Amino acid sequence: MEKLKKWQTSLLTPPRILAGGFASIIMLGTILLMLPISNANGESLALVDAFFTATSATCVTGLVVVDTGTHFTMFGQTVIILLIQVGGLGFMTMATLFAMAFKKKISLKERLILQEAMNQGSMEGIVRLIQKVLLYAFAIEGTAAALFTIRWAFDLPFGQALYFGIFHSISLFNNAGFDLFGQVSGPFSSLTSYVGDPLVNLVSMSLIVLGGIGFIVLSDLFEFKTRRKFSLHTKVVLSMTSFLIVLGTIVVFIFEFTNPNTLGSMNWFEKFWAAMFQSITPRTAGANTIDIGGMRQATQFFMILFMFIGASPGSTGGGIKTTTFTILVGAVIAMIRGKEDIVFFRNRLAKDRLNKAVTLVLLALGLVIGVTMILSTTEDHAFLMILFETVSAFGTVGLSMGLTTDLSIVGKILLSLTMFIGRLGPITLAYAVGPKNERELYRHPEGKITIG
C-alpha cells in the first residue's frame, strides 16, 4: 500500500495535475458545446469545432471557428463564459473558492499545485494570494460590467446590455477576446463599432491590462498604501508593460495612419484610441476595434512580436511573458556593456533566471516554428497569415487575420494543441510529460566554446 502511494505521488506531480485538469475541463466543455441546446440552429456542433471552441475558451484565447454571438444560444454562451472564467483564473483557484466556501482545509498537495499554477517560488502565503486573486477578479469584473451596462443601455435593451456587460467584462479581464457583437454588428465584428468610444475603450483596455499584469502585481498595487513600496517583480512588469503600450501605440499610429482599411478614414481622436487599443490587445486579449486583416504587413508582423511576448507571469494571459523578455533584453545590455550581472532597479538577478528565460524562449520558438511549418503544408494561405494565427494561438491572444474559419481539421486540432501548450506553458508541460528530475551527484569539468 505504501509503495502504491509513493508511485501515485511520483506520477501525479503538480504539473501533471494541472495539465490533466485543463484537459478535463476542455473535454467537458466540448461535450456541452456539442449539445443541440447550445447551438442556435438546434443541431449538434461538429466534434472538432466544439473541441476547438472549448479549448479556445478554457485557454482564454478567443480564436473562433463560428461566431459566438450568432451561432450559440444563451446556454452555449454561458458554457463559454464559465470556461473562460475557470480557465482564466485557473481551475485550482476555482476549486479553492469552493473549498473555502465549505470550510475545507487546503492540503499540502493542493498548495503545491496552487504554487505551480500561480508560478510562485514558494508555498508561503499561497492561500492568501488565492483569496486576493478571487477578490480582485470579481471586484474588477463587477465594476467593469456595471460600466459596460450603463454605456450599452443607450444602444440595446437593458436586459441585453446587462448580459453583454457581464459577458464582456469576464472575457476581457481574462484576456479571452470572445464577444457577442455578432448579434449587433455582424459576425466576427468584435468591438469595431466602438472604435472611437472613450468609455468602451478605456474600460476594455483597463480590463486587458489589469488581467495581463498578473495577480502578484495587482496585490502590490492594491496594498501600496500599506507597504509604501513595490517588489522588483512589480517594478519590472509595470515598466515593461508601460513601455510596450507606448511603443505599440506609436508604431500602429505611424504605420496605419494613411491606411484606408484601418486608420486612414478616421479623425485624430479615433486614430489615437484605435492605435492604443491595437497596441494593448496583442498582449493576449484578442478583441479588436479595427480590421486586423486590413492592416499593413509591417503592422501585422509587429503585432506577431507583441503576441509572442504576451502578458506577465501569474496573469490570465499567455506568451513568453514580459519578465522573460525583460531578462533577455537585460542580458544583451549587460553583455554589450561588459558586465557580468543582469541588474534591474539595483537588484542583481540570479543566473538561473536567465537560464529559465532562454529555455522558455527556445521552447516557444520551436513550437511556433514547427506548427507554422506544418500549417504551411496543410493550409492553402499566405505564410504571414499562418504565422500570425500560430503565434496568436500560442500566446492565447485570439486575434485573427481570417484564417481560423477556413482551417482544415488537421489545422484546427494543431492550433487547439498550440493553445493548450500556450496556456499551460512550455516548461510546465515539459515537466508534466518528462521524467521526474533527480539530483545530480557530480558535475562535469568546465569547457569553453567560441561564440560569435
Side-chain angles (χ1 to χ4, degrees):
M1 190 70 178
E2 191 173 336
K3 286 184 177 179
L4 179 61
K5 286 184 178 179
K6 286 183 178 179
W7 179 79
Q8 288 177 334
T9 302
S10 63
L11 182 65
L12 296 177
T13 59
R16 287 173 180 170
I17 292 174
L18 278 178
F22 272 105
S24 300
I25 294 168
I26 290 170
M27 290 302 104
L28 176 61
T30 301
I31 294 170
L32 292 174
L33 291 177
M34 285 179 65
L35 298 175
I37 193 177
S38 295
N39 299 279
N41 58 14
E43 300 176 359
S44 295
L45 186 63
L47 174 60
V48 67
D49 291 339
F51 174 69
F52 188 95
T53 305
T55 304
S56 183
T58 306
C59 298
V60 290
T61 304
L63 289 174
V64 291
V65 289
V66 293
D67 181 65
T68 309
T70 56
H71 185 89
F72 293 104
T73 61
M74 184 173 287
F75 177 84
Q77 293 164 5
T78 303
V79 170
I80 288 172
I81 207 62
L82 288 175
L83 290 175
I84 290 171
Q85 187 75 89
V86 173
L89 299 184
F91 77 93
M92 279 304 300
T93 302
M94 301 305 293
T96 304
L97 171 64
F98 287 107
M100 291 188 295
F102 290 102
K103 301 187 184 306
K104 181 181 177 294
K105 188 176 180 181
I106 310 299
S107 68
L108 177 62
K109 185 153 193 173
E110 288 167 340
R111 290 170 190 265
L112 284 169
I113 300 169
L114 287 170
Q115 177 190 341
E116 181 72 27
M118 299 304 295
N119 201 17
Q120 294 295 290
S122 70
M123 288 188 297
E124 184 180 356
I126 191 66
V127 176
R128 287 196 301 275
L129 177 61
I130 296 302
Q131 290 172 336
K132 292 175 185 177
V133 166
L134 293 168
L135 175 63
Y136 299 154
F138 294 145
I140 292 170
E141 289 173 352
T143 303
L147 292 172
F148 275 147
T149 301
I150 294 170
R151 171 61 188 87
W152 289 330
F154 289 96
D155 303 332
L156 307 168
F158 181 78
Q160 188 179 18
L162 176 63
Y163 178 58
F164 272 40
I166 295 171
F167 186 98
H168 292 92
S169 65
I170 295 174
S171 178
L172 289 170
F173 177 73
N174 288 285
N175 282 217
F178 281 81
D179 72 274
L180 302 177
F181 280 97
Q183 301 175 15
V184 181
S185 310
F188 309 106
S189 56
S190 193
L191 297 173
T192 52
S193 298
Y194 296 93
V195 62
D197 190 294
L199 181 61
V200 173
N201 274 274
L202 281 172
V203 175
S204 299
M205 290 188 290
S206 299
L207 283 170
I208 295 167
V209 172
L210 290 173
I213 58 178
F215 294 106
I216 306 166
V217 178
L218 280 178
S219 179
D220 270 8
L221 288 173
F222 279 103
E223 296 177 5
F224 180 72
K225 287 186 178 180
T226 306
R227 296 184 178 180
R228 308 303 298 177
K229 66 176 183 178
F230 288 139
S231 65
L232 175 62
H233 173 82
T234 297
K235 290 177 182 177
V236 169
V237 168
L238 292 179
S239 300
M240 182 52 70
T241 299
S242 301
F243 170 75
L244 291 174
I245 290 173
V246 173
L247 175 64
T249 303
I250 294 172
V251 170
V252 174
F253 189 87
I254 292 174
F255 278 81
E256 297 299 316
F257 188 84
T258 58
N259 185 352
N261 297 318
T262 54
L263 306 187
S265 59
M266 300 178 187
N267 58 45
W268 281 79
F269 188 71
E270 291 177 333
K271 288 177 193 280
F272 169 75
W273 285 120
M276 181 175 284
F277 196 99
Q278 265 57 234
S279 169
I280 291 174
T281 195
R283 312 283 308 295
T284 83
N288 58 284
T289 56
I290 59 177
D291 179 22
I292 302 299
M295 285 181 162
R296 293 192 167 108
Q297 290 189 350
T299 316
Q300 292 167 345
F301 184 73
F302 180 79
M303 294 184 77
I304 288 173
L305 299 178
F306 262 39
M307 292 191 294
F308 187 74
I309 295 171
S312 302
S315 71
T316 58
I320 62 170
K321 304 296 190 291
T322 53
T323 48
T324 304
F325 178 68
T326 306
I327 290 172
L328 294 180
V329 172
V332 172
I333 294 173
M335 179 64 68
I336 291 173
R337 290 181 175 179
K339 305 292 185 180
E340 185 177 345
D341 298 320
I342 303 172
V343 179
F344 295 127
F345 299 99
R346 298 182 181 179
N347 285 267
R348 173 176 55 85
L349 292 188
K351 297 294 183 184
D352 69 306
R353 298 296 88 188
L354 177 58
N355 294 337
K356 186 172 183 179
V358 172
T359 301
L360 175 57
V361 171
L362 289 178
L363 286 174
L365 279 174
L367 174 67
V368 168
I369 291 170
V371 172
T372 303
M373 288 177 66
I374 296 173
L375 289 179
S376 296
T377 305
T378 61
E379 315 301 317
D380 186 21
H381 286 82
F383 176 79
L384 185 63
M385 183 180 285
I386 293 172
L387 178 62
F388 191 100
E389 218 80 6
T390 303
V391 178
S392 180
F394 164 73
T396 68
V397 180
L399 292 175
S400 174
M401 289 173 60
L403 173 61
T404 308
T405 53
D406 295 332
L407 285 171
S408 64
I409 293 177
V410 174
K412 291 175 183 176
I413 294 173
L414 194 57
L415 280 190
S416 296
L417 294 175
T418 306
M419 288 188 281
F420 181 76
I421 297 172
R423 180 66 183 97
L424 200 62
I427 292 180
T428 300
L429 188 66
Y431 287 154
V433 300
K436 188 177 180 181
N437 295 328
E438 295 182 0
R439 184 180 177 184
E440 291 185 351
L441 301 178
Y442 61 90
R443 296 181 71 186
H444 293 282
E446 186 177 284
K448 291 185 178 180
I449 298 177
T450 303
I451 297 176

